[in-house]
Amino acid sequence: MERTLYFELKTEYGPLYLYENYKSETDIPVTREFFTQEKGIRRYGYLSFMGNSDFKTVEKNMEGLITKEYIKELSPYQFLNKVGGYLISEDSINKKRKDVYNIFDMKANSKGNTTILNDEPQISGELKDVFANKILSKYTSSNSNKRKEI
């Protein structure tokens, strides 16, 4: 029973988009950043990339109770809605990949912000339509032969 879980991690420098693949119920997945494919190591309350970029996943009070969660599970549709605007062209994917590596670098070197950002990028309706058309055209072109054979 394979399944993939998708996440958004809010950081001081902008959101990171993550996923985990599960091959079975007992499988321990590897968390990966979507654009860079960098492996993340989960620790209690933190997620670390490239050995020195540690991001908080939760914030706790003095009693150890969680007061804020910075990582949020997303449905596949929600995840696609967040990353879809970057998947339009190879140039936009490469730009986003560079931005993610900059986030890792800034976090590792403690540069810039100390407050976790909560704003989410907005994707225009036109851009959503362009991306939806690409997905739908791939589906209709690859499955058109299968439907004729049935």
Side-chain angles (χ1 to χ4, degrees), residues 58-118:
V58 295
E59 197 166 297
K60 299 177 184 181
N61 63 14
M62 296 294 284
E63 291 82 30
L65 299 173
I66 296 173
T67 57
K68 290 184 183 177
E69 291 190 53
Y70 300 117
I71 193 165
K72 176 183 170 188
E73 186 175 348
L74 302 174
S75 70
Y77 172 78
Q78 291 170 319
F79 189 79
L80 181 60
N81 197 32
K82 302 264 186 186
V83 301
Y86 304 110
L87 302 178
I88 299 300
S89 70
E90 196 63 36
D91 288 339
S92 63
I93 292 171
N94 288 334
K95 182 183 179 321
K96 182 61 178 172
R97 188 174 294 129
K98 287 178 187 175
D99 290 345
V100 170
Y101 278 119
N102 282 337
I103 289 172
F104 292 158
D105 183 51
M106 287 186 290
K107 184 63 175 178
N109 297 315
S110 300
K111 294 180 183 174
N113 296 332
T114 58
T115 305
I116 293 181
L117 302 176
N118 288 319

Side-chain angles (χ1 to χ4, degrees), residues 15 17 81-82 85-86 118-125 127-128:
Y17 299 103
N81 197 32
K82 302 264 186 186
Y86 304 110
N118 288 319
D119 60 333
E120 296 179 357
Q122 297 296 315
I123 299 173
S124 71
L127 199 53
K128 287 178 187 177

Side-chain angles (χ1 to χ4, degrees), residues 19 32-39 101:
Y19 69 95
R32 292 191 180 270
E33 198 284 325
F34 181 74
F35 293 101
T36 63
Q37 298 299 307
E38 289 289 339
K39 289 181 184 179
Y101 278 119

Side-chain angles (χ1 to χ4, degrees), residues 14-32:
L16 294 176
Y17 299 103
L18 318 167
Y19 69 95
E20 295 176 342
N21 287 324
Y22 292 82
K23 295 188 191 300
S24 68
E25 291 295 322
T26 59
D27 187 28
I28 297 173
V30 173
T31 302
R32 292 191 180 270

